[in-house]
Amino acid sequence: MPRFAANLGYLFTERPLIERFGAAAAAGFAAVELQFPYDLAPAAVKAELDKHGLIQLGINTLRGRDGEFGLAALPGRERDWDAIFKQALDYAVAIGARAIHCMTGVVPVEQRPAAETVFVKNLARGAEAAAKHNITLLIEPINPRDRAGYFLSRVEHAADIVAKVGAPNVRIQFDFYHIQIVGGDLITRFEKYLPVIGHAQIAAVPTRAEPDEGEINYPAVFAAMDRLGYNGFIGCEYRPRARTEDGLGWAKPYGVVPKRS
C-alpha cells in the first residue's frame, strides 16, 4: 500500500506553518515534507516532529533572488549556491530530514550548456557533503507552463544529470503532476527511471487540486507503484479545493485516516 506524506507548503495552509505538523498527524499522515521552513527555528520544528511522531522527508534549497527559482544551475552563482546549500544541509541535519530538493533556477537558452556543467559540479560537491549525514539530494523536472525557463523540465534530462554526477545519493523527485504536463506516459516512465527515483509527488492535472479529478488515473498509478516495488513515500503537493481535511477522502483507502482524539 502506498505511503503518503503531507507537503506542508501546500496542505493545512489555513494554519501557521508550525501548527501544520500537528494537523498533518491528526489527519493520519505519518510523514511530512517542507519547502522553505527557514523562518522557523530548527529546534521548534524538531520538537513538533518528535511530539507528533512524524518522519521528516525533504526540504528545498532557497530560491535566490526574485525570478531565479533556485541557484544550483546558474553560471556565476556558485559561491551563492554553496552558501544556500550549506544552509539547507545544516537545517536538514538539525531537524533529521532525509532529503534536500536542489532547485536549479531559471536559465536562458544561451546559458544552458554552461548551466549543465555548473549543475553537475554543484551537485557533486553537495552530494559528498550530504552523504556524511545520509541525506539524499533530489532534482525535480518542473513543467514550463508553471515555471517557464526552469533548467529541468523533462525526466529524461534529470536522469542524464544523475548519471553524470554519479553519486548514489543524487536522485530524481518524480512529480506526476509536472511529468504528466510535459510528457505523460507516466507508468512506463516511472518504471524506466525507478532505479534513480528518490521521491514521488502527486497532484491533479490540470488543476493541481486533490488527486481525485482530472487527467491522471491515480488509483492505477498507485497500483503500478506497488507492483513495481516503490517503497518510498508519496508527497501530497497539491492545492486543496477547500479546507485540507475536507478533501482527504481520496486518501482514506490508503490508510490516511484521522486519529481519534
Side-chain angles (χ1 to χ4, degrees), residues 230-252:
Y230 177 77
N231 57 10
F233 280 93
I234 301 169
C236 299
E237 194 186 47
Y238 61 80
R239 297 188 181 97
R241 292 181 290 259
R243 183 173 173 267
T244 300
E245 289 88 343
D246 295 341
L248 286 173
W250 68 269
K252 288 183 179 178

mmCIF file of all heavy atoms in Angstrom, residues 230-252:
data_model
loop_
_atom_site.group_PDB
_atom_site.id
_atom_site.type_symbol
_atom_site.label_atom_id
_atom_site.label_comp_id
_atom_site.label_asym_id
_atom_site.label_seq_id
_atom_site.Cartn_x
_atom_site.Cartn_y
_atom_site.Cartn_z
ATOM 1 N N TYR A 230 8.025 0.247 -5.501
ATOM 2 C CA TYR A 230 8.389 1.541 -4.911
ATOM 3 C C TYR A 230 8.021 1.523 -3.437
ATOM 4 O O TYR A 230 6.868 1.278 -3.070
ATOM 5 C CB TYR A 230 7.651 2.672 -5.625
ATOM 6 C CG TYR A 230 7.921 4.035 -5.021
ATOM 7 C CD1 TYR A 230 9.116 4.692 -5.273
ATOM 8 C CD2 TYR A 230 6.992 4.657 -4.197
ATOM 9 C CE1 TYR A 230 9.384 5.940 -4.718
ATOM 10 C CE2 TYR A 230 7.249 5.900 -3.640
ATOM 11 C CZ TYR A 230 8.446 6.535 -3.902
ATOM 12 O OH TYR A 230 8.696 7.777 -3.348
ATOM 13 N N ASN A 231 8.994 1.778 -2.579
ATOM 14 C CA ASN A 231 8.723 1.701 -1.144
ATOM 15 C C ASN A 231 8.943 3.015 -0.418
ATOM 16 O O ASN A 231 8.984 3.063 0.805
ATOM 17 C CB ASN A 231 9.581 0.604 -0.499
ATOM 18 C CG ASN A 231 11.077 0.819 -0.725
ATOM 19 O OD1 ASN A 231 11.491 1.875 -1.193
ATOM 20 N ND2 ASN A 231 11.872 -0.183 -0.380
ATOM 21 N N GLY A 232 9.084 4.097 -1.179
ATOM 22 C CA GLY A 232 9.215 5.413 -0.557
ATOM 23 C C GLY A 232 7.856 6.030 -0.267
ATOM 24 O O GLY A 232 6.806 5.428 -0.521
ATOM 25 N N PHE A 233 7.894 7.237 0.268
ATOM 26 C CA PHE A 233 6.659 7.996 0.475
ATOM 27 C C PHE A 233 6.269 8.715 -0.813
ATOM 28 O O PHE A 233 7.090 8.943 -1.705
ATOM 29 C CB PHE A 233 6.849 9.019 1.595
ATOM 30 C CG PHE A 233 6.740 8.438 2.971
ATOM 31 C CD1 PHE A 233 7.876 7.998 3.644
ATOM 32 C CD2 PHE A 233 5.516 8.332 3.610
ATOM 33 C CE1 PHE A 233 7.796 7.462 4.909
ATOM 34 C CE2 PHE A 233 5.421 7.798 4.881
ATOM 35 C CZ PHE A 233 6.557 7.359 5.537
ATOM 36 N N ILE A 234 5.012 9.087 -0.890
ATOM 37 C CA ILE A 234 4.474 9.890 -1.982
ATOM 38 C C ILE A 234 4.022 11.212 -1.382
ATOM 39 O O ILE A 234 3.133 11.248 -0.532
ATOM 40 C CB ILE A 234 3.296 9.185 -2.679
ATOM 41 C CG1 ILE A 234 3.742 7.822 -3.233
ATOM 42 C CG2 ILE A 234 2.729 10.065 -3.784
ATOM 43 C CD1 ILE A 234 2.579 6.959 -3.708
ATOM 44 N N GLY A 235 4.637 12.301 -1.805
ATOM 45 C CA GLY A 235 4.312 13.608 -1.248
ATOM 46 C C GLY A 235 3.047 14.187 -1.860
ATOM 47 O O GLY A 235 2.890 14.204 -3.092
ATOM 48 N N CYS A 236 2.162 14.651 -1.012
ATOM 49 C CA CYS A 236 0.911 15.284 -1.464
ATOM 50 C C CYS A 236 1.166 16.778 -1.626
ATOM 51 O O CYS A 236 1.021 17.561 -0.691
ATOM 52 C CB CYS A 236 -0.199 15.024 -0.457
ATOM 53 S SG CYS A 236 -0.570 13.270 -0.242
ATOM 54 N N GLU A 237 1.569 17.156 -2.837
ATOM 55 C CA GLU A 237 1.906 18.547 -3.123
ATOM 56 C C GLU A 237 0.825 19.135 -4.019
ATOM 57 O O GLU A 237 1.064 19.498 -5.166
ATOM 58 C CB GLU A 237 3.283 18.646 -3.781
ATOM 59 C CG GLU A 237 3.825 20.078 -3.793
ATOM 60 C CD GLU A 237 5.125 20.221 -4.572
ATOM 61 O OE1 GLU A 237 5.196 19.704 -5.702
ATOM 62 O OE2 GLU A 237 6.060 20.833 -4.050
ATOM 63 N N TYR A 238 -0.378 19.204 -3.478
ATOM 64 C CA TYR A 238 -1.499 19.741 -4.247
ATOM 65 C C TYR A 238 -2.149 20.893 -3.481
ATOM 66 O O TYR A 238 -1.919 21.072 -2.283
ATOM 67 C CB TYR A 238 -2.518 18.647 -4.558
ATOM 68 C CG TYR A 238 -3.161 17.972 -3.354
ATOM 69 C CD1 TYR A 238 -4.208 18.585 -2.666
ATOM 70 C CD2 TYR A 238 -2.760 16.702 -2.943
ATOM 71 C CE1 TYR A 238 -4.825 17.956 -1.578
ATOM 72 C CE2 TYR A 238 -3.359 16.070 -1.870
ATOM 73 C CZ TYR A 238 -4.386 16.709 -1.185
ATOM 74 O OH TYR A 238 -4.987 16.087 -0.103
ATOM 75 N N ARG A 239 -2.947 21.664 -4.214
ATOM 76 C CA ARG A 239 -3.666 22.783 -3.608
ATOM 77 C C ARG A 239 -5.098 22.341 -3.314
ATOM 78 O O ARG A 239 -5.891 22.154 -4.241
ATOM 79 C CB ARG A 239 -3.677 23.999 -4.541
ATOM 80 C CG ARG A 239 -2.297 24.563 -4.823
ATOM 81 C CD ARG A 239 -2.390 25.876 -5.594
ATOM 82 N NE ARG A 239 -1.061 26.399 -5.869
ATOM 83 C CZ ARG A 239 -0.395 26.233 -7.016
ATOM 84 N NH1 ARG A 239 -0.965 25.528 -8.004
ATOM 85 N NH2 ARG A 239 0.801 26.730 -7.189
ATOM 86 N N PRO A 240 -5.449 22.164 -2.053
ATOM 87 C CA PRO A 240 -6.794 21.698 -1.726
ATOM 88 C C PRO A 240 -7.873 22.640 -2.264
ATOM 89 O O PRO A 240 -7.695 23.868 -2.298
ATOM 90 C CB PRO A 240 -6.794 21.682 -0.191
ATOM 91 C CG PRO A 240 -5.349 21.543 0.180
ATOM 92 C CD PRO A 240 -4.603 22.315 -0.853
ATOM 93 N N ARG A 241 -8.966 22.046 -2.688
ATOM 94 C CA ARG A 241 -10.072 22.847 -3.207
ATOM 95 C C ARG A 241 -10.718 23.694 -2.128
ATOM 96 O O ARG A 241 -11.262 24.771 -2.397
ATOM 97 C CB ARG A 241 -11.122 21.919 -3.835
ATOM 98 C CG ARG A 241 -10.654 21.226 -5.112
ATOM 99 C CD ARG A 241 -11.732 20.339 -5.698
ATOM 100 N NE ARG A 241 -11.980 19.161 -4.885
ATOM 101 C CZ ARG A 241 -11.512 17.941 -5.146
ATOM 102 N NH1 ARG A 241 -10.754 17.749 -6.230
ATOM 103 N NH2 ARG A 241 -11.768 16.923 -4.376
ATOM 104 N N ALA A 242 -10.663 23.216 -0.890
ATOM 105 C CA ALA A 242 -11.233 23.947 0.246
ATOM 106 C C ALA A 242 -10.372 23.614 1.465
ATOM 107 O O ALA A 242 -9.154 23.542 1.356
ATOM 108 C CB ALA A 242 -12.695 23.555 0.444
ATOM 109 N N ARG A 243 -10.981 23.393 2.615
ATOM 110 C CA ARG A 243 -10.230 23.026 3.808
ATOM 111 C C ARG A 243 -9.526 21.692 3.570
ATOM 112 O O ARG A 243 -10.119 20.753 3.041
ATOM 113 C CB ARG A 243 -11.201 22.938 4.989
ATOM 114 C CG ARG A 243 -10.574 22.627 6.342
ATOM 115 C CD ARG A 243 -11.643 22.755 7.425
ATOM 116 N NE ARG A 243 -11.153 22.305 8.726
ATOM 117 C CZ ARG A 243 -11.298 21.067 9.197
ATOM 118 N NH1 ARG A 243 -11.919 20.155 8.452
ATOM 119 N NH2 ARG A 243 -10.842 20.741 10.381
ATOM 120 N N THR A 244 -8.269 21.595 3.953
ATOM 121 C CA THR A 244 -7.470 20.404 3.637
ATOM 122 C C THR A 244 -8.148 19.125 4.099
ATOM 123 O O THR A 244 -8.262 18.153 3.331
ATOM 124 C CB THR A 244 -6.081 20.514 4.291
ATOM 125 O OG1 THR A 244 -5.417 21.672 3.785
ATOM 126 C CG2 THR A 244 -5.246 19.285 3.982
ATOM 127 N N GLU A 245 -8.594 19.086 5.353
ATOM 128 C CA GLU A 245 -9.179 17.861 5.904
ATOM 129 C C GLU A 245 -10.416 17.426 5.122
ATOM 130 O O GLU A 245 -10.681 16.228 4.990
ATOM 131 C CB GLU A 245 -9.553 18.061 7.372
ATOM 132 C CG GLU A 245 -8.369 18.162 8.310
ATOM 133 C CD GLU A 245 -7.828 19.571 8.470
ATOM 134 O OE1 GLU A 245 -8.140 20.442 7.627
ATOM 135 O OE2 GLU A 245 -7.093 19.808 9.447
ATOM 136 N N ASP A 246 -11.160 18.390 4.572
ATOM 137 C CA ASP A 246 -12.386 18.050 3.852
ATOM 138 C C ASP A 246 -12.116 17.373 2.512
ATOM 139 O O ASP A 246 -13.016 16.754 1.941
ATOM 140 C CB ASP A 246 -13.221 19.319 3.626
ATOM 141 C CG ASP A 246 -13.720 19.927 4.925
ATOM 142 O OD1 ASP A 246 -13.740 19.208 5.942
ATOM 143 O OD2 ASP A 246 -14.062 21.130 4.919
ATOM 144 N N GLY A 247 -10.876 17.479 2.027
ATOM 145 C CA GLY A 247 -10.557 16.902 0.733
ATOM 146 C C GLY A 247 -9.737 15.632 0.794
ATOM 147 O O GLY A 247 -9.207 15.190 -0.226
ATOM 148 N N LEU A 248 -9.626 15.028 1.982
ATOM 149 C CA LEU A 248 -8.760 13.858 2.132
ATOM 150 C C LEU A 248 -9.483 12.525 1.957
ATOM 151 O O LEU A 248 -8.895 11.468 2.208
ATOM 152 C CB LEU A 248 -8.075 13.884 3.512
ATOM 153 C CG LEU A 248 -6.947 14.903 3.655
ATOM 154 C CD1 LEU A 248 -6.452 14.964 5.101
ATOM 155 C CD2 LEU A 248 -5.789 14.581 2.714
ATOM 156 N N GLY A 249 -10.720 12.562 1.490
ATOM 157 C CA GLY A 249 -11.449 11.308 1.290
ATOM 158 C C GLY A 249 -10.743 10.357 0.343
ATOM 159 O O GLY A 249 -10.805 9.129 0.519
ATOM 160 N N TRP A 250 -10.043 10.897 -0.656
ATOM 161 C CA TRP A 250 -9.335 10.049 -1.620
ATOM 162 C C TRP A 250 -8.278 9.184 -0.938
ATOM 163 O O TRP A 250 -7.935 8.100 -1.428
ATOM 164 C CB TRP A 250 -8.675 10.908 -2.701
ATOM 165 C CG TRP A 250 -7.534 11.738 -2.166
ATOM 166 C CD1 TRP A 250 -7.611 13.010 -1.668
ATOM 167 C CD2 TRP A 250 -6.173 11.339 -2.030
ATOM 168 N NE1 TRP A 250 -6.383 13.431 -1.231
ATOM 169 C CE2 TRP A 250 -5.477 12.428 -1.442
ATOM 170 C CE3 TRP A 250 -5.461 10.176 -2.344
ATOM 171 C CZ2 TRP A 250 -4.119 12.381 -1.164
ATOM 172 C CZ3 TRP A 250 -4.113 10.119 -2.065
ATOM 173 C CH2 TRP A 250 -3.454 11.223 -1.486
ATOM 174 N N ALA A 251 -7.721 9.675 0.183
ATOM 175 C CA ALA A 251 -6.592 9.004 0.831
ATOM 176 C C ALA A 251 -7.006 7.949 1.852
ATOM 177 O O ALA A 251 -6.168 7.141 2.269
ATOM 178 C CB ALA A 251 -5.699 10.040 1.507
ATOM 179 N N LYS A 252 -8.256 7.947 2.243
ATOM 180 C CA LYS A 252 -8.680 7.005 3.294
ATOM 181 C C LYS A 252 -8.465 5.540 2.908
ATOM 182 O O LYS A 252 -8.026 4.737 3.752
ATOM 183 C CB LYS A 252 -10.137 7.272 3.672
ATOM 184 C CG LYS A 252 -10.322 8.559 4.472
ATOM 185 C CD LYS A 252 -11.762 8.773 4.903
ATOM 186 C CE LYS A 252 -11.905 10.061 5.721
ATOM 187 N NZ LYS A 252 -13.311 10.320 6.109
#
